[in-house]
Amino acid sequence: MNTHRAELHVHTVLSPCAEVEMIPPLIVESSLDLGINLIAITDHNASANVSAVQKAAENTPLIVLPGMELQTVEEVHCLCLFDRLDSLLRFQTIVAPTLPHIQNQPDHFGGQFVVDETGDFIRHEDQLLIVSSSLTINAAFNLVSALGGLFIPAHVNRKAFGLLEILGFVPNDIPLEVLEVSRNLQMADAIKTYPQLTGFPLIRSGDAHRLDELLGANEFILESPTINEIRMAIRNIEGRSLKVS
């Protein structure tokens, strides 16, 4: 078994709300400097920079999972994590037609940059990414699950785009495996403050839009850094485990 200190909610310069410092080599360097050896790249409704971060992490101890932060029709943010880049890209082909066709206005929303593994500019993403898909939470969960991915409602305690604020409860018709709380909620206070979280495994993420927001609060004991192993750790079975600070 191996210890993986994980940050599963990381944005790049493809997300218009991310700082320009969120380029692949700096994400990799900063993660390793903090002792983080497992991250997921989760840009808003987009996946174009995942491969660049994976390439930047080659020949380093950092594992980069492919992911996306999907905004559902209910305006709930959800992390969609996969083992394989091709699974994420398949999911992207499903998500893209569900986004309203709105042109990004960089001066208002921020730039949306596709870059290479060195951080060099490739192109602008013209589709505004901080919009809601027409996919419901239930539909998104089913799609991610069918592709072998892990579906995690993001920062559920946040007033903006958080599950509890939007819906007021955790839906009982979706077999959710884990929920994410935001960096400013201490785990000791989570259930006391939000009784709706009782019984659900929790992770805590930095939702990193800047390098100093990389948190790495999740410590997984895994045989290998895969979605199935993470599932086992969340369930605390067969020697796999999760500890959240």
Side-chain angles (χ1 to χ4, degrees):
M1 296 293 175
N2 301 294
T3 300
H4 293 276
R5 186 178 174 199
E7 174 54 71
L8 299 180
H9 194 163
V10 181
H11 294 269
T12 77
V13 289
L14 182 55
S15 293
C17 41
E19 297 295 332
V20 293
E21 64 193 17
M22 297 302 286
I23 58 173
L26 295 184
I27 291 171
V28 172
E29 179 183 0
S30 296
S31 296
L32 293 172
D33 285 347
L34 291 168
I36 297 169
N37 59 0
L38 176 61
I39 66 171
I41 297 300
T42 53
D43 283 309
H44 291 289
N45 295 321
S47 57
N49 278 349
V50 171
S51 63
V53 182
Q54 290 180 324
K55 289 177 183 176
E58 289 178 358
N59 302 314
T60 80
L62 184 67
I63 302 298
V64 181
L65 293 177
M68 176 191 297
E69 185 173 22
L70 177 72
Q71 184 170 315
T72 70
V73 71
E74 299 92 346
E75 297 192 344
V76 173
H77 283 184
C78 300
L79 303 179
C80 307
L81 309 183
F82 301 90
D83 280 320
R84 297 167 53 92
L85 182 60
D86 59 354
S87 298
L88 173 62
L89 297 180
R90 171 62 182 147
F91 185 59
Q92 180 74 77
T93 66
I94 298 170
V95 169
T98 72
L99 302 177
H101 297 295
I102 302 173
Q103 182 98 1
N104 184 36
Q105 300 175 42
D107 292 341
H108 182 69
F109 297 109
Q112 300 179 156
F113 305 109
V114 178
V115 296
D116 67 14
E117 65 269 27
T118 70
D120 283 348
F121 173 82
I122 295 177
R123 64 176 176 86
H124 293 281
E125 173 55 60
D126 293 327
Q127 163 69 48
L128 180 63
L129 297 175
I130 48 172
V131 292
S132 288
S133 163
S134 62
L135 292 170
T136 65
I137 296 174
N138 295 64
F141 173 86
N142 290 333
L143 286 167
V144 171
S145 299
L147 290 167
L150 181 61
F151 184 86
I152 309 174
H155 44 63
V156 296
N157 57 298
R158 257 184 40 185
K159 291 190 178 297
F161 308 110
L163 182 72
L164 297 182
E165 179 67 21
I166 300 294
L167 298 186
F169 59 92
V170 180
N172 60 13
D173 60 340
I174 308 174
L176 296 169
E177 299 173 85
V178 60
L179 306 174
E180 180 200 74
V181 300
S182 60
R183 63 182 301 120
N184 59 352
L185 180 62
Q186 298 302 312
M187 299 306 292
D189 299 326
I191 303 300
K192 180 170 63 175
T193 307
Y194 301 97
Q196 305 98 312
L197 301 180
T198 302
F200 288 96
L202 303 175
I203 62 170
R204 182 167 168 251
S205 299
D207 188 8
H209 291 72
R210 305 183 319 208
L211 294 174
D212 64 6
E213 292 178 337
L214 291 164
L215 190 61
N218 310 294
E219 184 178 283
F220 290 97
I221 304 299
L222 309 170
E223 188 173 275
S224 58
T226 66
I227 295 298
N228 188 56
E229 288 280 321
I230 290 172
R231 280 198 170 97
M232 294 171 70
I234 289 165
R235 296 165 60 196
N236 196 30
I237 61 173
E238 298 184 23
R240 283 74 167 175
S241 63
L242 166 64
K243 178 182 177 182
V244 184
S245 58

